[in-house]
Amino acid sequence: METMTMRYRMSDQDVFYGGGVVNGARGLTLMEDCAKRLMAKVFSNVGTMTKVKKVRLYEPLFAGDYMEFKARIKRKEDNKALIEVRAFKIIEYPENPEYPSSVDVLENPP
């Protein structure tokens, strides 16, 4: 099965709302980037996304969070592919950090 993994740290430039909250659309844009990289890897062409079947956002994203995006091809027919992309928060910025560079590595990423 063809897969692609991409990691990204949310920065202050990604913040859209007060309190350091990142707009959910930013996460969706990064998921699309991961899917396009997978398409380039498999088909040597990024292609065009024609439809999104389902989107579910469970956790808010904050500046300082490390995200891991995993894309995989579930089904491939001729020049079409059904791609599943999942996002996981693998590291987050602690609520009351001891040091400015402190992070919490999540054992079970949401």
Side-chain angles (χ1 to χ4, degrees):
M1 194 59 74
E2 296 287 343
T3 62
M4 172 65 62
T5 301
M6 183 176 90
R7 288 189 175 174
Y8 181 83
R9 183 176 187 189
M10 297 294 175
S11 71
D12 288 335
Q13 293 179 348
D14 298 315
V15 171
F16 190 74
Y17 302 107
V21 178
V22 174
N23 189 348
R26 180 66 180 141
L28 294 176
T29 300
L30 292 167
M31 292 171 93
E32 179 188 17
D33 289 347
C34 189
K36 283 184 176 181
R37 288 178 187 209
L38 177 59
M39 291 295 288
K41 177 182 171 184
V42 174
F43 294 105
S44 301
N45 183 348
V46 295
T48 303
M49 183 171 57
T50 58
K51 141 170 94 166
V52 175
K53 286 189 174 185
K54 187 188 309 183
V55 174
R56 291 181 281 175
L57 303 173
Y58 293 108
E59 294 281 328
L61 304 177
F62 297 93
D65 289 347
Y66 282 85
M67 299 299 297
E68 182 174 85
F69 300 93
K70 293 184 178 189
R72 71 181 178 107
I73 294 181
K74 291 183 77 173
R75 187 174 63 234
K76 189 163 66 167
E77 297 172 7
D78 300 324
N79 63 347
K80 296 179 182 179
L82 175 63
I83 298 174
E84 175 184 67
V85 183
R86 300 185 75 197
F88 302 93
K89 186 189 298 188
I90 56 174
I91 296 174
E92 67 183 1
Y93 189 70
E95 199 168 308
N96 297 312
E98 188 175 346
Y99 304 102
S101 61
S102 296
V103 295
D104 287 338
V105 177
L106 303 175
E107 224 173 277
N108 296 313

